[in-house]
Amino acid sequence: MSSHPWSRAARQALLMGKKKFKPPVKPLARWDIVKGDQVTVVGGHKDAGKEGKVLEVIRKKNLVLVEGVNLRQKRFAPTEEQPNGVFTQMPVPFPVEKVALIDPTDQLPCEITYKKNSEGEPERVSTRSGSIIPKPFWRRKDFEVRAEYKDSVFDTSADVVAKVTYNPSVLSFEENVLRGMENGNQ
């Protein structure tokens, strides 16, 4: 009896085609956690207390992917090697607010602040113990040193990039054509 608007059936019929509204995520201004950090899960999460390494940081959605935490089963289709298919455990991203950095001195979760070192660069410092939490080493995926990069077939050479191909003019298109015809360039 969905003809009565106050009935449960009518409410369910209204909600059938509608998606729930998700407010847009406002990205964080400052990220304290980067790829490669050792973190622990805190707060009301099913994996609270587990530790792992940050595999990926999704800054647009304020999510992190942590190794061995928030696992979901995924089934892969059958192949020649596995005729029945394969089930594997894969980590799923979850909110960055649910993780905390691990203090290197006592291996407990901590909050951090930034302090400048002797060279004037900011460093992450644990608020509890005062120890410095180093950022993990980051390696480029495409090449090590820019000077060692070799041009490939698909790269545009510097002389082609520097070549002037357009000379702006104040004249309209028609005036430009007429001037070209006057000069004998047809």
PDB file of all heavy atoms in Angstrom, residues 45 64-66 69-73 90-95:
ATOM      1  N   HIS A  45      37.840   2.164  15.640  1.00  0.00           N
ATOM      2  CA  HIS A  45      37.976   1.391  14.409  1.00  0.00           C
ATOM      3  C   HIS A  45      38.111  -0.079  14.774  1.00  0.00           C
ATOM      4  O   HIS A  45      38.619  -0.414  15.842  1.00  0.00           O
ATOM      5  CB  HIS A  45      39.207   1.865  13.619  1.00  0.00           C
ATOM      6  CG  HIS A  45      39.227   1.377  12.210  1.00  0.00           C
ATOM      7  ND1 HIS A  45      39.832   0.207  11.851  1.00  0.00           N
ATOM      8  CD2 HIS A  45      38.693   1.891  11.076  1.00  0.00           C
ATOM      9  CE1 HIS A  45      39.684   0.015  10.552  1.00  0.00           C
ATOM     10  NE2 HIS A  45      38.999   1.030  10.057  1.00  0.00           N
ATOM     11  N   VAL A  64      44.157   7.198   4.167  1.00  0.00           N
ATOM     12  CA  VAL A  64      45.456   6.528   4.140  1.00  0.00           C
ATOM     13  C   VAL A  64      45.234   5.037   3.926  1.00  0.00           C
ATOM     14  O   VAL A  64      44.212   4.479   4.312  1.00  0.00           O
ATOM     15  CB  VAL A  64      46.267   6.751   5.444  1.00  0.00           C
ATOM     16  CG1 VAL A  64      46.744   8.160   5.555  1.00  0.00           C
ATOM     17  CG2 VAL A  64      45.485   6.342   6.660  1.00  0.00           C
ATOM     18  N   LEU A  65      46.221   4.394   3.316  1.00  0.00           N
ATOM     19  CA  LEU A  65      46.210   2.965   3.081  1.00  0.00           C
ATOM     20  C   LEU A  65      47.359   2.393   3.895  1.00  0.00           C
ATOM     21  O   LEU A  65      48.510   2.750   3.683  1.00  0.00           O
ATOM     22  CB  LEU A  65      46.411   2.687   1.595  1.00  0.00           C
ATOM     23  CG  LEU A  65      46.236   1.277   1.111  1.00  0.00           C
ATOM     24  CD1 LEU A  65      44.765   0.884   1.209  1.00  0.00           C
ATOM     25  CD2 LEU A  65      46.699   1.143  -0.314  1.00  0.00           C
ATOM     26  N   VAL A  66      47.030   1.556   4.884  1.00  0.00           N
ATOM     27  CA  VAL A  66      48.032   1.031   5.806  1.00  0.00           C
ATOM     28  C   VAL A  66      48.174  -0.472   5.593  1.00  0.00           C
ATOM     29  O   VAL A  66      47.179  -1.191   5.464  1.00  0.00           O
ATOM     30  CB  VAL A  66      47.638   1.336   7.276  1.00  0.00           C
ATOM     31  CG1 VAL A  66      48.690   0.817   8.223  1.00  0.00           C
ATOM     32  CG2 VAL A  66      47.448   2.822   7.472  1.00  0.00           C
ATOM     33  N   VAL A  69      46.163  -3.534   7.631  1.00  0.00           N
ATOM     34  CA  VAL A  69      45.076  -2.955   8.421  1.00  0.00           C
ATOM     35  C   VAL A  69      43.883  -2.690   7.510  1.00  0.00           C
ATOM     36  O   VAL A  69      44.051  -2.316   6.355  1.00  0.00           O
ATOM     37  CB  VAL A  69      45.530  -1.641   9.100  1.00  0.00           C
ATOM     38  CG1 VAL A  69      44.407  -1.005   9.878  1.00  0.00           C
ATOM     39  CG2 VAL A  69      46.721  -1.899   9.991  1.00  0.00           C
ATOM     40  N   ASN A  70      42.667  -2.881   8.038  1.00  0.00           N
ATOM     41  CA  ASN A  70      41.425  -2.650   7.315  1.00  0.00           C
ATOM     42  C   ASN A  70      41.385  -3.505   6.046  1.00  0.00           C
ATOM     43  O   ASN A  70      41.178  -3.012   4.949  1.00  0.00           O
ATOM     44  CB  ASN A  70      41.259  -1.163   6.979  1.00  0.00           C
ATOM     45  CG  ASN A  70      39.822  -0.804   6.706  1.00  0.00           C
ATOM     46  OD1 ASN A  70      38.896  -1.474   7.128  1.00  0.00           O
ATOM     47  ND2 ASN A  70      39.627   0.285   5.977  1.00  0.00           N
ATOM     48  N   LEU A  71      41.585  -4.806   6.225  1.00  0.00           N
ATOM     49  CA  LEU A  71      41.659  -5.727   5.096  1.00  0.00           C
ATOM     50  C   LEU A  71      40.274  -6.161   4.644  1.00  0.00           C
ATOM     51  O   LEU A  71      39.368  -6.363   5.444  1.00  0.00           O
ATOM     52  CB  LEU A  71      42.486  -6.955   5.476  1.00  0.00           C
ATOM     53  CG  LEU A  71      43.933  -6.688   5.843  1.00  0.00           C
ATOM     54  CD1 LEU A  71      44.574  -7.967   6.357  1.00  0.00           C
ATOM     55  CD2 LEU A  71      44.692  -6.145   4.666  1.00  0.00           C
ATOM     56  N   ARG A  72      40.116  -6.315   3.334  1.00  0.00           N
ATOM     57  CA  ARG A  72      38.892  -6.826   2.737  1.00  0.00           C
ATOM     58  C   ARG A  72      39.278  -7.975   1.817  1.00  0.00           C
ATOM     59  O   ARG A  72      40.350  -7.975   1.217  1.00  0.00           O
ATOM     60  CB  ARG A  72      38.180  -5.752   1.912  1.00  0.00           C
ATOM     61  CG  ARG A  72      37.760  -4.539   2.691  1.00  0.00           C
ATOM     62  CD  ARG A  72      36.526  -4.832   3.528  1.00  0.00           C
ATOM     63  NE  ARG A  72      36.033  -3.629   4.151  1.00  0.00           N
ATOM     64  CZ  ARG A  72      36.405  -3.178   5.327  1.00  0.00           C
ATOM     65  NH1 ARG A  72      37.326  -3.821   5.999  1.00  0.00           N
ATOM     66  NH2 ARG A  72      35.893  -2.092   5.842  1.00  0.00           N
ATOM     67  N   GLN A  73      38.369  -8.942   1.687  1.00  0.00           N
ATOM     68  CA  GLN A  73      38.622 -10.052   0.782  1.00  0.00           C
ATOM     69  C   GLN A  73      38.221  -9.661  -0.625  1.00  0.00           C
ATOM     70  O   GLN A  73      37.164  -9.075  -0.835  1.00  0.00           O
ATOM     71  CB  GLN A  73      37.819 -11.272   1.201  1.00  0.00           C
ATOM     72  CG  GLN A  73      38.605 -12.253   1.989  1.00  0.00           C
ATOM     73  CD  GLN A  73      37.909 -13.596   2.063  1.00  0.00           C
ATOM     74  OE1 GLN A  73      36.772 -13.744   1.657  1.00  0.00           O
ATOM     75  NE2 GLN A  73      38.621 -14.569   2.592  1.00  0.00           N
ATOM     76  N   MET A  90      43.122  -7.622   0.777  1.00  0.00           N
ATOM     77  CA  MET A  90      43.648  -6.353   0.280  1.00  0.00           C
ATOM     78  C   MET A  90      43.314  -5.244   1.264  1.00  0.00           C
ATOM     79  O   MET A  90      42.186  -5.184   1.771  1.00  0.00           O
ATOM     80  CB  MET A  90      43.045  -6.021  -1.085  1.00  0.00           C
ATOM     81  CG  MET A  90      43.377  -7.041  -2.142  1.00  0.00           C
ATOM     82  SD  MET A  90      42.756  -6.570  -3.738  1.00  0.00           S
ATOM     83  CE  MET A  90      43.815  -5.212  -4.113  1.00  0.00           C
ATOM     84  N   PRO A  91      44.270  -4.340   1.551  1.00  0.00           N
ATOM     85  CA  PRO A  91      43.954  -3.216   2.427  1.00  0.00           C
ATOM     86  C   PRO A  91      43.069  -2.191   1.721  1.00  0.00           C
ATOM     87  O   PRO A  91      43.187  -1.984   0.524  1.00  0.00           O
ATOM     88  CB  PRO A  91      45.326  -2.630   2.767  1.00  0.00           C
ATOM     89  CG  PRO A  91      46.216  -3.074   1.671  1.00  0.00           C
ATOM     90  CD  PRO A  91      45.669  -4.364   1.156  1.00  0.00           C
ATOM     91  N   VAL A  92      42.177  -1.591   2.484  1.00  0.00           N
ATOM     92  CA  VAL A  92      41.262  -0.578   1.975  1.00  0.00           C
ATOM     93  C   VAL A  92      41.568   0.735   2.695  1.00  0.00           C
ATOM     94  O   VAL A  92      41.841   0.731   3.896  1.00  0.00           O
ATOM     95  CB  VAL A  92      39.794  -1.013   2.230  1.00  0.00           C
ATOM     96  CG1 VAL A  92      38.814   0.039   1.759  1.00  0.00           C
ATOM     97  CG2 VAL A  92      39.518  -2.337   1.559  1.00  0.00           C
ATOM     98  N   PRO A  93      41.536   1.872   1.985  1.00  0.00           N
ATOM     99  CA  PRO A  93      41.825   3.143   2.651  1.00  0.00           C
ATOM    100  C   PRO A  93      40.792   3.483   3.720  1.00  0.00           C
ATOM    101  O   PRO A  93      39.630   3.112   3.617  1.00  0.00           O
ATOM    102  CB  PRO A  93      41.772   4.175   1.518  1.00  0.00           C
ATOM    103  CG  PRO A  93      41.715   3.426   0.267  1.00  0.00           C
ATOM    104  CD  PRO A  93      41.294   2.037   0.567  1.00  0.00           C
ATOM    105  N   PHE A  94      41.242   4.213   4.745  1.00  0.00           N
ATOM    106  CA  PHE A  94      40.334   4.693   5.781  1.00  0.00           C
ATOM    107  C   PHE A  94      40.811   6.075   6.253  1.00  0.00           C
ATOM    108  O   PHE A  94      41.909   6.504   5.909  1.00  0.00           O
ATOM    109  CB  PHE A  94      40.182   3.687   6.918  1.00  0.00           C
ATOM    110  CG  PHE A  94      41.438   3.351   7.663  1.00  0.00           C
ATOM    111  CD1 PHE A  94      41.728   3.947   8.866  1.00  0.00           C
ATOM    112  CD2 PHE A  94      42.329   2.428   7.148  1.00  0.00           C
ATOM    113  CE1 PHE A  94      42.875   3.624   9.555  1.00  0.00           C
ATOM    114  CE2 PHE A  94      43.464   2.106   7.825  1.00  0.00           C
ATOM    115  CZ  PHE A  94      43.750   2.707   9.033  1.00  0.00           C
ATOM    116  N   PRO A  95      40.004   6.808   7.027  1.00  0.00           N
ATOM    117  CA  PRO A  95      40.322   8.204   7.353  1.00  0.00           C
ATOM    118  C   PRO A  95      41.646   8.370   8.098  1.00  0.00           C
ATOM    119  O   PRO A  95      42.005   7.569   8.949  1.00  0.00           O
ATOM    120  CB  PRO A  95      39.149   8.644   8.239  1.00  0.00           C
ATOM    121  CG  PRO A  95      38.055   7.706   7.923  1.00  0.00           C
ATOM    122  CD  PRO A  95      38.690   6.413   7.534  1.00  0.00           C
TER     123      PRO A  95
END
